[in-house]
Amino acid sequence: MIKHSGGCHCGRVKFEVEAEAEIEAIECNCSVCSKGGFLHLIVPKSRFTLIQGSESLSTYTFNTGVAKHLFCKMCGVKSFYIPRSHPDGYSVNVRCLEPATIRKITVIPFDGKNWEEHALDLDPLPSKS
């Protein structure tokens, strides 16, 4: 595990996430992920630290309201959020990570258009941080 830094476009929101240098990113085809170009790196809350910008975040919910989509109020970028699939973790947008610590990204497709049929295809969060 290494520490990756990331954030929004304008720099108001900054975070760190602990993950492998070789990242397996999930590309969901649901409407909100595909329109926003989100590439998921889902981690337990213990591996995510918001460094700055909590006051710059705005929350958007829809459908079940479980997912908390967090956007920077200034630039509109969703660099991370609380996903419906793992409400006890965070999904970080791999595209918002600084590239210096990333050795490789492997993109894995996920059929989020048919979420109810495929939700169990997603790996559970690790029980240990």
Side-chain angles (χ1 to χ4, degrees):
M1 290 285 167
I2 62 167
K3 228 174 237 186
H4 298 279
S5 296
C8 67
H9 185 260
C10 71
R12 282 176 172 77
V13 176
K14 293 184 180 180
F15 62 84
E16 291 180 339
V17 63
E18 292 178 35
E20 301 294 333
E22 295 188 6
I23 294 172
E24 287 191 356
I26 300 167
E27 184 175 37
C28 176
N29 67 356
C30 80
S31 60
V32 74
C33 292
S34 60
K35 287 178 188 264
F38 205 95
L39 278 182
H40 300 264
L41 170 62
I42 302 172
V43 297
K45 285 186 179 181
S46 63
R47 292 188 189 163
F48 179 89
T49 304
L50 182 61
I51 303 297
Q52 72 177 45
S54 62
E55 71 287 346
S56 296
L57 293 171
S58 183
T59 303
Y60 171 67
T61 61
F62 67 98
N63 197 4
T64 64
V66 174
K68 307 295 183 224
H69 299 270
L70 303 164
F71 295 86
C72 174
K73 292 177 188 177
M74 182 57 71
C75 66
V77 169
K78 178 172 79 167
S79 52
F80 70 94
Y81 78 108
I82 299 169
R84 177 180 173 190
S85 62
H86 299 84
D88 53 342
Y90 285 102
S91 182
V92 171
N93 189 347
V94 172
R95 290 185 166 114
C96 292
L97 295 175
E98 296 298 327
T101 54
I102 299 172
R103 187 178 312 134
K104 178 182 175 185
I105 300 171
T106 303
V107 177
I108 301 165
F110 173 74
D111 185 6
K113 284 183 181 178
N114 300 293
W115 199 91
E116 285 75 12
E117 296 171 31
H118 297 282
L120 295 177
D121 295 345
L122 296 170
D123 290 333
L125 289 175
S127 56
K128 293 182 180 180
S129 32

